[in-house]
Amino acid sequence: VQLQASGGGLVQAGGSLRLSCTASGSILSINDMGWHRQAPGKQRELVASISSSGSANYGDSVKGRFTISRDNAKKTVYLQLNSLKPEDTANYYCNAVVLTITPWRTSSYWGRGTQVTVSS
């Protein structure tokens, strides 16, 4: 299973970005999908997660500014980032809990990350 993230970049404070992450491979189904971020010198933190039924959960620092969504048919999770702040600067990683066909098991997978930089 591979997770390919895209959409990061450089944006001014107050601006917006949209991140995408698509899963591929021997996938039977995908349970939770989500985004975490890690800034230099800091621990990785949850940004948002979404269940297969669409129930979303957000980190306190992004509530009201970021929106997570997913397209199950496309095996893709999105993160809309609005009202960006310099403190949102980080490498954003997507992850997914996937039931694979071969081997038959449920595992958590991570993408390589996409950099978001917000200038003041």
Side-chain angles (χ1 to χ4, degrees):
V1 174
Q2 292 186 335
L3 298 180
Q4 182 65 50
S6 62
L10 173 63
V11 64
Q12 289 188 331
S16 298
L17 285 173
R18 189 188 194 213
L19 308 183
S20 300
C21 178
T22 299
S24 61
S26 180
I27 297 171
L28 181 61
S29 64
I30 303 177
N31 298 328
D32 288 357
M33 303 183 81
W35 294 90
H36 289 65
R37 68 185 181 186
Q38 188 167 20
K42 295 187 177 182
Q43 289 188 330
R44 188 174 293 191
E45 63 173 352
L46 171 70
V47 176
S49 64
I50 186 167
S51 70
S52 56
S53 61
S55 178
N57 179 49
Y58 295 93
D60 289 341
S61 62
V62 306
K63 285 180 181 177
R65 299 188 298 122
F66 293 5
T67 302
I68 191 170
S69 60
R70 64 189 283 173
D71 185 327
N72 291 329
K74 294 182 178 179
K75 300 184 180 66
T76 299
V77 61
Y78 305 97
L79 186 67
Q80 179 67 39
L81 296 74
N82 295 332
S83 302
L84 281 160
K85 305 175 181 180
E87 51 263 44
D88 293 318
T89 295
N91 205 352
Y92 284 68
Y93 298 88
C94 64
N95 82 295
V97 178
V98 178
L99 173 61
T100 53
I101 300 170
T102 306
W104 185 276
R105 70 182 178 196
T106 298
S107 303
S108 180
Y109 294 89
W110 291 85
R112 287 194 174 190
T114 184
Q115 179 68 34
V116 172
T117 303
V118 184
S119 62
S120 56

